[in-house]
Every structure is written in C-alpha cells, then in structure tokens.
Amino acid sequence: MKKLKRSARLVEMTQYLLSRPHTVIPLTTFAERYGAAKSSISEDLAIIKEVFEEGGSGELHTLAGAAGGVKWIPKVSRELALAFAERLSTQLAQPDRILPGEYLYMSDLLGQPALMNEAGKIFATAFGNMNIDVVMTVETKGIPLAYATGAQLNLPVVLVRRDHQATEGSAVSINYVSGSHKSLHTMSLSRRAMREHSRVLIVDDFMKAGGTVQGMIDLLAEFNATVAGVGVLVESGSVDSEERLLTDYISLAKLTAVDAKSRHISVKPGNYFDL
Amino acid sequence: MKKLKRSARLVEMTQYLLSRPHTVIPLTTFAERYGAAKSSISEDLAIIKEVFEEGGSGELHTLAGAAGGVKWIPKVSRELALAFAERLSTQLAQPDRILPGEYLYMSDLLGQPALMNEAGKIFATAFGNMNIDVVMTVETKGIPLAYATGAQLNLPVVLVRRDHQATEGSAVSINYVSGSHKSLHTMSLSRRAMREHSRVLIVDDFMKAGGTVQGMIDLLAEFNATVAGVGVLVESGSVDSEERLLTDYISLAKLTAVDAKSRHISVKPGNYFDL
C-alpha cells in the first residue's frame, strides 16, 4: 500500500490499466494498492474513462456486482483506422517495392513494431467481441502482427510451423494447396499448442487466394478447434473470384494492381472499410 | 487543442508518453495539445516523473535547451527483472517439458505476449544506452522477443531468413556451422534490410554453443554492420567452455541440466544477474 495524492494516483492507475488490456481489475485492487476509499477510486476511474473514451483510444468498461471492477478495452476508431490504412497504402504503392515475379517488398514496414502494434490494435477492435481464445499464424512474416493482436486482446499466440520441429514435440501435420500456384505444401502444429474447442483468430501479413489461411482452417479441424475470424494486413485483389478460397476475412489494405513494366502499384484501404 | 483540467491532462499525458518510448517530445507539443502554459506542463511532467521513477517502471528524462523536451525510457529494476527470471526458471523446470533428444518445449511460454513484452523490456533496460540502430533475429522463435525489444527501444526489427525468399529481393546468404551439432546451415538477409555501419542488437529465444548467433554476426560483417549486443532469453549451460563460440551476451535464464531419464530439469536465472 502506498499513499498517493490524487494526481499521482491518476498517473499510476492510468499506467496500470494500459498495461493490462482485456483484464478485469476489481476496485478493491486499486483501493488496497493506494489505501484509498472505493468511492475515491470510482471518481478517479470516471476521469480516466472520460479521457480514454473521448480520445478514441478505447473503452473502460465498468462491471457491477460482487465481481465488479473495470476492464480496459483498447480500440481504434474507424476514422483513425482508415487514416492508418491510407498511410499504409501510400507506403505500399512506392514503385521501388516491386520485386521479380511481381512480389512486393514489405519487410521494412513489417519491421516497424509501432506499425505492427497499430494494426494489431485495429484487429483487436474488429475481433474483440468474438470470444476468441487464441491467436494463430503460420511462420514467418505474420508473427509480429499476431503478437501485436494477442497483446491487445490479452490472448496467447500459437505458431504453425512449415516443418515439424524437434522443439515442438508431437505434432499434427497437414498438406495444403496454395491457391495461386496450385503447389502442395506442409504445415505442422504441436499437439500441445491448441486445446480442443478453442475459438481461433487467424492473422497473417498477406493473403492472395487464401490457400495458406485455408490450410490453417483445415489444421484447426484436426484439433476440433474452430476459426472465429481471419485478419490479414494486405490482401491481393488480383485474384479471380472463382480462385478465391476464402470470403470471410478482414483486410486492412488491398493491392489492386502491380505492374512491373510500368512500375505501377495500386493499393487502397482493405475490405474492413467497405461496410 | 483541447482544454482539459489538470487531472484529465495527467491521464492523457501519461497515455501519450507510455505509447512513445525513447522518443523526444518537446514541451511545446504538450503545451499546444492542451492549450496550457509550459510551466503547467512542467509541473504535470514532474508528477508523472515521480510516479514512473518511484514505481520502478522507467525514467522520464528531461532535455534542456532549444530542442528541450522529455523522453520516456522504460526500464525494469534489477529486483523485478530477477523476480521475472525466477518465475521463468520455475516454469521452465516443469518435467513435462522434456522432449525426445532432451529438447525443451517452450512454445507455450514464447506464446504469451505479456511475457515476451516483459523480457523485451529487460533487454531494453540492458541495452538502452548502447546507441543501437536496429534489432535483429533469425526466424522463427526469437521473433516475438525481438519485436518486444524493438517496441520498447523504438527501433526497427530486421529478420534473418533460413532460406532466400522471393519477397525479400536480392539477399546475402552465408553458411554457418551450428556449434552443438557441427552441421552446416544457411541464413539469408535481404540487401535492403540493413544499412551500412548499423549498430545491431541480436536477440534470440535460445542459445546453446552460439553457432546461430555467430552466424548472424558473420552475416552483419557482409553489411559492414557491427554487433552492439546479444540478448538471449534462455541459454544452455551444458556446453563445454571450449565449445562455446560466444562469450559476450546476456541471458535471462540458464538451463543447467536436462535429464530425460530422471525427468529432471534445472534452470536458474541467467548471466544478466551474475554481476
């Protein structure tokens, strides 16, 4: 217990809440922590709630009753999410990103933790109400996004491997067909990594026809787990609708054209903003 | 500009600072943001500084002069870092982690974003003064730790691949010998990923003899970049000193024995706590 003035207590409580998203914190925790009356704590929380919610950074939920307390739900407003998607689209459209085979160099963007955290917060906003148990991705480039999302939702992250690894113990492996190249690949998930009946949010950095994501969905079936949502940072729009394996997903940016000859890339905000 | 009462302003400023570690924020930014006098902002910052520093969560540096402002430096005190390492050691010592070949199952721990963030904050404390330009790791399992460290230090993360990928453009590949098995492997880094003369912090989840880390150091030489520090979450202590390829590194936990027969694992806090 440390006695603090209200001003200091507000700073401390703000820090405490921000580092514990999606976690119920009983009022008594604060009351004991600061040796303050619950009524004072409630007043402090009202101030914090107002600042958080007016600033558009999320919601502070108050839970009544014996198990009462507060829960910090980080959110990104539609407006700020769209501004993020537009910045991302502009950066993705830089012509020097074009690689042989009309691949796009994205590693500099994926290598920015702050950008990943912002995208993760948007996914946490989109999927926060879906009773998700675990966030899943397949190695490699979607990993930072999956962790950023997991951190905001206070959920564990499960990593699907391309090969069976000695450090994963017994694993379930499946074959899947990549939608765009029609080639056969393998992915593998440790038996211990996923509980039965888990509700899973699949996250990845890039999706073309959706073969890799469909592979992850097939893998989940082996664990009697279900997909609760799919979020990708960038989707390729240059896929025929009959080629597309997946229709139920959210994307933050959509690549509509990559032309190596004219060095032209078109990117627009993803389907998350279509509604 | 939004006029806020001091209490609300303290909450807002706390949130603003915490989301921008290792970033200089001029006092004028706050003064304009809240339509407040610089003297009021200075008083607010003094309150925030006291709470942050007494709580042991980091330092709020005040920079004088024309480029004056404040900089939030997240830190973990030695005491809290040791408590973290002891919790981690206890969890790692659970006998059911032993896998064939005396590997240890760690994916459940590596899959906890909050645990990764805590470890990343300890690395940020250890390496925060070393003028680092970029954090580097090799796929796969060290990635969340590298991003957690990069986020706390406000630095980009560069990802070394095991194979050359079409999405990375031209790359430099090297061969390296894993210290424990003496087998030959390849790693590859995109030409665009690393500027010349960068000072690099190498982060990984596990180190045995140090062959993989030594491979990354050799790879850096190809980019005229230098290693400024090496941080690993867990090191294996079962390596002969003549086998060990690397002596200058920090570990948070040290695996001193894994015995599959007796199902016994010994783990203690790493060399970061030896000093």
Side-chain angles (χ1 to χ4, degrees), chain B:
Chain B
M1 183 186 107
K2 40 187 170 181
K3 267 281 185 194
L4 293 175
K5 279 195 204 166
R6 163 151 287 165
S7 55
R9 205 166 61 207
L10 282 167
V11 173
E12 240 274 355
M13 285 172 73
T14 300
Q15 187 178 22
Y16 192 93
L17 285 164
L18 289 176
S19 63
R20 288 166 183 79
H22 282 270
T23 307
V24 177
I25 301 159
L27 288 198
T28 46
T29 299
F30 288 124
E32 284 165 17
R33 193 174 165 88
Y34 307 118
K38 276 199 197 178
S39 57
S40 306
I41 297 296
S42 290
E43 286 167 30
D44 295 346
L45 288 169
I47 295 169
I48 294 172
K49 181 183 170 76
E50 198 181 332
V51 173
F52 284 180
E53 297 188 354
E54 292 203 348
S57 62
E59 292 162 17
L60 192 66
H61 287 192
T62 310
L63 297 95
V70 288
K71 189 156 85 167
W72 162 234
I73 315 278
K75 292 206 171 178
V76 182
S77 66
R78 177 65 49 137
E79 188 190 338
L80 287 175
L82 184 59
F84 170 86
E86 281 168 350
R87 278 199 312 278
L88 178 65
S89 300
T90 305
Q91 289 186 288
L92 284 170
Q94 292 156 351
D96 59 357
R97 295 194 177 279
I98 300 178
L99 297 173
E102 300 192 342
Y103 286 98
L104 228 56
Y105 185 77
M106 287 170 48
S107 297
D108 58 326
L109 300 173
L110 298 175
Q112 294 173 31
L115 192 152
M116 291 295 100
N117 287 340
E118 193 63 20
K121 208 171 158 185
I122 298 174
F123 284 154
T125 307
F127 298 107
N129 289 326
M130 295 196 176
N131 293 314
I132 289 161
D133 299 306
V134 54
V135 180
M136 182 165 106
T137 193
V138 62
E139 58 182 338
T140 301
K141 291 192 302 171
I143 296 174
L145 195 54
Y147 274 82
T149 307
Q152 296 289 343
L153 290 170
N154 188 28
L155 290 176
V157 178
V158 158
L159 203 53
V160 178
R161 308 298 299 257
R162 302 278 180 185
D163 306 295
H164 180 204
Q165 301 286 332
T167 51
E168 299 290 339
S170 323
V172 177
S173 294
I174 63 152
N175 294 311
Y176 70 98
V177 179
S178 91
S180 33
H181 297 295
K182 305 280 182 216
S183 51
L184 198 67
H185 302 273
T186 306
M187 56 172 77
S188 169
L189 181 59
S190 171
R191 273 229 166 271
R192 312 187 182 200
M194 181 76 67
R195 277 210 203 105
E196 285 214 336
H197 310 301
S198 294
R199 289 177 53 81
V200 181
L201 171 61
I202 293 175
V203 166
D204 214 349
D205 62 310
F206 192 80
M207 187 176 86
K208 207 165 176 181
T212 306
V213 172
Q214 188 56 53
M216 284 192 263
I217 295 173
D218 294 346
L219 188 53
L220 284 179
E222 299 283 336
F223 286 81
N224 288 320
T226 50
V227 57
V230 176
V232 297
L233 186 68
V234 184
E235 67 164 312
S236 167
S238 66
V239 180
D240 294 338
S241 54
E242 62 178 38
E243 253 194 323
R244 190 169 288 290
L245 298 168
L246 200 78
T247 53
D248 197 7
Y249 62 90
I250 279 175
S251 68
L252 300 188
K254 186 171 187 168
L255 201 58
T256 50
V258 180
D259 186 336
K261 240 181 185 166
S262 66
R263 316 271 314 146
H264 181 73
I265 306 171
S266 294
V267 193
K268 59 175 197 176
N271 72 6
Y272 180 53
F273 306 98
D274 285 351
L275 313 175

Side-chain angles (χ1 to χ4, degrees), chain A residues 57 96 110 139-140 147 192, chain B residues 96 110 139-140 147 192:
Chain A
S57 62
D96 59 357
L110 298 175
E139 58 182 339
T140 301
Y147 274 82
R192 311 188 183 200
Chain B
D96 59 357
L110 298 175
E139 58 182 338
T140 301
Y147 274 82
R192 312 187 182 200

